[in-house]
Every structure is written in structure tokens, then in C-alpha cells.
């Protein structure tokens, strides 16, 4: 099990790495099982010389920073011994820079000659280690990561698997992308960067070096078809051409972009079918869903996010047709905050229950009643693989009428929920699942649980 910062072993490791010469001599005497905790202590205390010695003598074939340091995607809800992905990126970058600064000193030490077994003088060989990590950068951490990526001649070379940026300029994004080694990059996530179609067309050509790129996430990119010049679609057409240059692309996210009536044009140049498509709050029209239904992507889709749409009669009918087409492959479906009432859910349930491989269903923020929720439980227990359902607070569990703001953002509705009434409903849901032999399924109103599934673990 992972050790905490308050364990006796960790405290001893911290003490040892604080005395670098002693720690260096002790490594030959310590069992390999202690290397991970020594690495954790040295990393968290920024003992760069101790880290250098640990990496140089690492006894295992793989050195996984994510496993050793328990890097997380978000800063919230973590204990004192957990580190966010942003903080981990900064710490890694600083470590690379510090070790690089000590390079001359290391070379000076290594230039001292020791006598070998035959009496001849020998010089220790310099070492170089590739650090493979997921990186998350914003304007605050841009400078340190840029410097770390550009110290390619240092003993520690930073390589990236998943790369995420927030609130960076086009120049900043391009600078970092050009500094990344292309091999091994599987996901690029550019969000809250206010790029627009023109900015994306500037940035995306710099991603073509990443020949293993599977996932491209571009939510909150300031794409709005209403702002295109009348009578021209140049921006979207250029963007579609750029997307067509990624032959391995399987996941695409355009969340919170206004794409009304433009989905066919945007996805027309893709070379292979997508397996994950996130289009939350994209103001799609019936024609957009009709295109998906007939597209090459439909038979391959394993994950689909259409949250934030108002499924009125016409759009709901197109959704049912789409779900029918993808029912054999679909594993993860999000329809959160989609104005699904009991009646609309009743129309959706027959085709939903034909999605025989469905594992995760997100329905949070929809105005369902307790009877509607119970109907959902009864109908979906036939789905053998359904393990996670994120359901809304039933409208009859509200202690008062939600404000307009709360109605627009379903996660705020918890403030107006009668906790005792909702606890009774949750208990009833649990009993229904148990009596149907589905006690293993998780039904929850917590969005924290919903963040767990990931495309690469589907």
C-alpha cells in the first residue's frame, strides 16, 4: 500500500535523503523495495542530488511518476499526501531545471578518476533519464515548463503522454507544443484558451508531429457558427481540413462550442471513425444528430456526451434513432441537464435499454420525479454491464423552488434539496437494486464519481 507522509518509514526516508553523501553510500545496502519511498521523500523535499542518485541506480525496469506521486487531475478533494496534476507538473519541471543546473557540478565530480580493478583510472559515465509524465500547464506555470522542456541536454529529459493547457495564448501553446518530443503523445487537451476557428487553425498544424495522437480535446474554444461572416464558412472548412490530418484520432471533444447545423462539415474530413465524441452544450439541431446517425462514426462510438441540449420532440426523436444505431457499441452516455422529464425519459428508455453494453449513464440535472427515477431503475436493471448511474435530485425532493441560476446549472440544486426526503429516495433506490440482484451497481447523485471514467480505460 502507498505510504503516507506521517508513516515511520516515510519519516526515516526523509531523514536519510536530507543527508545526501550518507544516502548515496547507503543505496548499495538498501533493499530495492525502499526505493519508491525514498524517491517520494526526495521529490517532495526537492532533494535534487538524492533524486539524481536514485534515478541513476533505479532497480526496476519502469519509474512511474504517476504511481509514485499519486498525481491527480484536479487540486480539490485531496489529502495532504496527494498532489494535483498541475502541482506535479511544476514540481517535475523544477526538478529537471535544478538537475540541469547541477550538471556542471556533476560533470566535475564525475571527472575525478578512480582506480579500476586493473589499476587503470576510470571515469563514471554520465547518465540520461527520460521522464514520461502527463503535463498540465496554464499561464502561471508556463515559464517553468517551457524552460524544463528546452533543457533537452540535461540529465533528465521530460517526455509527455497527455498534454493539457488552460488560458494560454496561441504563441504560448505553439511554443510548448514545439518543445515536446512527438513520440508518445497520445492526448492533447486545449481548453479555455479562447482560440476560435482561426486560432485553432494556427495551432493544429503543430500537432501533426504527434503521429500517435488518439485524443484531441478542444472544449471552450470560442467557436460560434453565428459569428462566421455571412455567406462564408471558411473558418470551419479550414478547421475540418486540419482535423483530417490526424489518422489515429479516436476521441474528439468540442464541448461548449456553438455548432448548430455544422457537424457534418466539421467532421467530414476525418480519416477514421471516432470512438468517443463529446458535444456537450453545442446547440445541435436535428440535422446534426441525423448526420451522426448516418455517419461512419455511429457503428464505432463507445462514448457519447450530448449534455446540455433541450431534447424537445424533434431532437428527441433523432436521439432515439442515433442510440438505436450505436446501441451495439455504446459504453458511456452523458445526457446531463437535457430537460428530460418523466415523459421524455419514458420515450427514451426503450432504445436506451437496447444499449446492451452500456456501463455508465449520466443523467444529472434533469427534472425527473421520484416515480420517474424508480422507473429508470426498474427498466435499466436488464443492462448487465451498467455499473455507474449519476442521477438527478428528484424535483419532488426540493425543499423550495430552485432559483433561475440553480435551474440553469444543475449542480447548484443541492442547496434546495430536502436531505431527509432525498436520503429516503436514495435508500429506496438501493433496495430496488438489491432486490433485482444489482447491488454491485453504483447509483449516485455525486458528480465526483462521474469524473472517474476515461476514454483510455473504456
Amino acid at each position: 500500500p502507498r505510504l503516507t507522509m506521517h508513516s515511520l518509514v516515510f519519516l526515516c526516508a526523509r531523514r536519510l535523503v536530507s543527508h545526501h553523501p550518507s544516502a548515496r553510500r547507503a543505496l548499495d545496502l538498501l533493499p530495492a523495495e525502499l526505493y519508491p519511498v525514498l524517491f517520494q521523500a526526495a521529490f517532495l523535499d526537492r532533494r535534487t542530488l538524492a533524486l539524481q542518485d536514485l534515478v541513476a541506480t533505479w532497480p526496476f525496469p519502469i519509474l512511474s511518476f504517476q504511481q509514485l506521486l499519486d498525481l491527480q487531475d484536479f487540486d480539490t478533494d485531496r489529502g495532504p499526501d496527494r498532489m494535483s496534476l498541475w502541482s506535479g507538473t511544476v514540481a517535475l519541471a523544477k526538478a529537471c531545471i535544478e538537475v540541469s543546473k547541477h550538471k556542471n557540478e556533476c560533470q566535475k565530480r564525475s571527472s575525478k578518476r578512480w582506480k579500476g580493478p586493473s589499476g587503470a583510472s576510470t571515469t563514471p559515465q554520465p547518465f540520461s533519464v527520460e521522464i514520461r509524465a502527463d503535463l498540465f500547464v496554464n499561464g502561471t506555470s508556463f515559464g517553468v515548463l517551457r524552460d524544463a522542456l528546452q533543457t533537452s541536454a540535461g540529465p533528465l529529459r521530460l517526455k509527455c503522454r497527455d498534454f493539457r493547457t488552460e488560458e494560454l495564448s496561441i504563441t504560448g501553446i505553439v511554443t510548448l507544443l514545439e518543445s515536446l518530443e512527438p513520440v508518445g503523445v497520445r492526448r492533447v487537451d486545449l481548453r479555455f484558451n479562447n482560440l476560435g476557428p482561426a486560432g485553432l487553425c494556427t495551432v493544429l498544424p503543430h500537432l501533426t508531429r504527434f503521429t500517435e495522437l488518439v485524443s484531441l480535446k478542444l472544449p471552450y474554444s470560442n467557436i460560434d457558427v453565428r459569428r462566421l461572416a455571412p455567406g462564408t464558412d471558411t473558418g470551419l472548412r479550414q478547421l475540418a481540413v486540419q482535423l483530417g490530418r490526424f489518422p489515429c484520432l479516436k476521441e474528439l471533444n468540442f464541448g461548449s462550442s456553438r455548432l448548430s447545423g455544422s457537424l457534418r462539415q466539421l467532421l467530414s474530413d476525418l480519416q477514421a471513425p471516432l470512438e468517443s465524441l463529446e458535444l456537450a452544450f453545442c446547440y445541435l439541431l436535428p440535422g446534426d444528430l441525423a448526420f451522426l446517425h448516418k455517419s461512419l462514426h455511429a457503428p464505432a462510438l463507445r462514448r457519447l456526451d450530448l449534455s446540455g441540449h433541450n431534447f424537445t420532440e424533434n431532437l428527441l426523436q433523432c436521439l432515439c434513432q442515433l442510440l438505436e444505431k450505436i446501441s451495439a457499441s455504446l459504453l458511456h452516455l452523458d445526457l446531463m441537464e437535457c430537460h428530460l422529464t418523466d415523459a421524455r425519459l419514458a420515450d427514451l428508455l426503450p432504445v436506451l435499454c437496447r444499449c446492451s453494453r452500456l456501463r455508465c449513464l449520466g443523467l444529472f440535472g434533469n427534472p425527473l420525479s421520484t416515480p420517474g427515477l424508480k422507473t429508470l431503475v426498474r427498466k435499466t436493471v436488464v443492462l448487465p454491464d451498467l455499473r455507474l448511474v449519476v442521477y438527478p435530485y428528484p424535483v419532488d425532493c426540493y425543499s423550495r423552488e430552485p432559483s433561475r441560476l440553480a435551474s440553469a446549472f444543475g449542480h447548484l440544486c443541492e442547496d434546495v434539496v430536502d436531505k431527509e426526503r432525498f436520503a429516503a429516495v436514495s435508500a429506496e433506490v438501493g433496495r430496488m437494486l438489491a432486490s433485482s440482484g444489482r447491488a454491485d451497481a453504483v447509483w449516485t447523485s455525486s458528480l465526483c464519481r462521474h469524473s472517474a471514467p476515461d476514454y483510455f480505460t473504456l
Side-chain angles (χ1 to χ4, degrees):
R2 185 173 53 84
L3 298 170
T4 70
M5 292 178 67
H6 305 292
S7 70
L8 181 60
V9 174
F10 186 88
L11 293 175
C12 291
R14 172 170 276 178
R15 181 69 173 174
L16 179 60
V17 298
S18 67
H19 300 281
H20 172 250
S22 301
R24 187 175 190 179
R25 292 191 298 269
L27 287 180
D28 293 334
L29 306 175
L30 294 175
E33 290 77 8
L34 290 179
Y35 268 69
V37 68
L38 288 168
F39 187 94
Q40 291 173 348
F43 187 87
L44 292 176
D45 289 348
R46 300 183 181 180
R47 305 290 183 181
T48 54
L49 295 179
L51 278 174
Q52 175 182 313
D53 293 335
L54 286 165
V55 171
T57 58
W58 192 252
F60 308 108
I62 295 176
L63 196 162
S64 173
F65 277 77
Q66 189 160 9
Q67 292 179 4
L68 285 171
L69 305 178
D70 196 16
L71 301 183
Q72 304 295 313
D73 284 332
F74 304 101
D75 284 317
T76 57
D77 299 327
R78 70 186 192 278
D81 57 341
R82 296 166 73 91
M83 184 178 291
S84 72
L85 184 57
W86 182 90
S87 300
T89 298
V90 172
L92 275 175
K94 288 182 177 179
C96 290
I97 293 171
E98 286 301 312
V99 171
S100 181
K101 287 180 179 178
H102 286 285
K103 183 179 179 181
N104 290 335
E105 180 183 342
C106 295
Q107 288 177 336
K108 182 179 180 180
R109 289 204 311 269
S110 64
S111 66
K112 295 181 180 179
R113 299 180 180 273
W114 292 278
K115 296 294 183 179
S118 62
S121 61
T122 61
T123 303
Q125 295 298 313
F127 71 92
S128 178
V129 175
E130 293 180 358
I131 301 178
R132 302 179 183 182
D134 297 341
L135 304 177
F136 173 28
V137 60
N138 58 18
T140 305
S141 56
F142 167 78
V144 67
L145 182 59
R146 175 200 59 202
D147 294 345
L149 290 173
Q150 293 178 353
T151 57
S152 56
L156 304 182
R157 293 185 290 117
L158 202 52
K159 286 196 171 184
C160 182
R161 184 183 68 164
D162 294 353
F163 181 71
R164 174 177 166 182
T165 73
E166 286 187 5
E167 300 177 335
L168 286 186
S169 67
I170 294 176
T171 301
I173 294 172
V174 170
T175 297
L176 294 180
L177 291 176
E178 288 296 310
S179 300
L180 293 175
E181 293 193 33
V183 177
V185 177
R186 66 174 191 175
R187 171 183 283 163
V188 172
D189 185 341
L190 310 176
R191 62 180 62 202
F192 300 113
N193 294 295
N194 199 33
L195 297 175
L200 287 175
C201 289
T202 300
V203 169
L204 292 186
H206 297 275
L207 300 180
T208 55
R209 300 185 306 122
F210 307 141
T211 56
E212 301 171 39
L213 188 69
V214 173
S215 172
L216 180 59
K217 297 197 168 193
L218 304 170
Y220 307 99
S221 288
N222 192 24
I223 300 175
D224 189 341
V225 294
R226 299 174 303 176
R227 297 176 187 163
L228 297 177
T232 178
D233 54 7
T234 304
L236 282 182
R237 182 70 203 127
Q238 291 178 345
L239 183 54
V241 170
Q242 295 295 340
L243 292 175
R245 294 177 178 173
F246 303 108
C248 299
L249 197 63
K250 296 295 183 183
E251 179 174 48
L252 186 60
N253 181 346
F254 270 107
S256 297
S257 299
R258 187 177 284 270
L259 302 176
S260 310
S262 301
L263 205 57
R264 178 188 300 273
Q265 182 180 32
L266 189 61
L267 305 183
S268 59
D269 285 47
L270 292 178
Q271 299 183 34
L274 294 170
E275 295 180 11
S276 176
L277 183 58
E278 299 179 58
L279 298 169
F281 298 92
C282 284
Y283 300 89
L284 299 181
L285 302 177
D288 296 309
L289 297 189
F291 158 72
L292 278 182
H293 170 248
K294 298 177 181 179
S295 72
L296 79 163
H297 310 291
L301 279 176
R302 299 193 296 162
R303 183 178 185 182
L304 179 64
D305 187 350
L306 294 175
S307 298
H309 289 88
N310 187 353
F311 281 103
T312 56
E313 182 177 352
N314 289 340
L315 195 61
L316 184 62
Q317 182 179 2
C318 292
L319 173 63
C320 290
Q321 293 173 347
L322 175 59
L323 290 180
E324 183 75 44
K325 188 66 175 290
I326 67 179
S327 60
S329 60
L330 189 64
L331 304 179
H332 185 144
L333 176 64
D334 276 327
L335 297 173
M336 298 195 290
E337 300 183 41
C338 285
H339 303 268
L340 291 175
T341 60
D342 292 357
R344 291 177 184 175
L345 181 64
D347 293 335
L348 185 64
L349 276 172
V351 66
L352 186 63
C353 291
R354 286 197 283 273
C355 298
S356 58
R357 300 178 60 197
L358 192 66
R359 299 176 186 171
C360 179
L361 176 63
L363 291 174
F364 190 81
N366 287 293
L368 299 181
S369 69
T370 295
L373 177 59
K374 291 181 179 180
T375 299
L376 177 66
V377 177
R378 285 195 298 270
K379 295 292 186 180
T380 57
V381 291
V382 300
L383 298 173
D385 296 332
L386 188 59
R387 293 290 183 267
L388 176 61
V389 177
V390 184
Y391 62 89
Y393 301 109
V395 291
D396 49 290
C397 288
Y398 292 159
S399 58
R400 64 180 186 275
E401 185 70 20
S403 67
R404 180 176 300 179
L405 182 62
S407 298
F409 300 94
H411 60 280
L412 298 178
C413 292
E414 185 177 3
D415 295 336
V416 297
V417 170
D418 185 315
K419 294 183 179 179
E420 290 186 6
R421 196 182 307 170
F422 179 67
V425 172
S426 298
E428 178 62 18
V429 168
R431 287 191 293 268
M432 293 176 67
L433 292 170
S435 65
S436 302
R438 297 304 309 276
D440 59 324
V442 175
W443 284 61
T444 178
S445 60
S446 172
L447 289 175
C448 294
R449 298 296 300 269
H450 183 265
S451 63
D454 179 81
Y455 167 73
F456 291 102
T457 59
L458 283 176

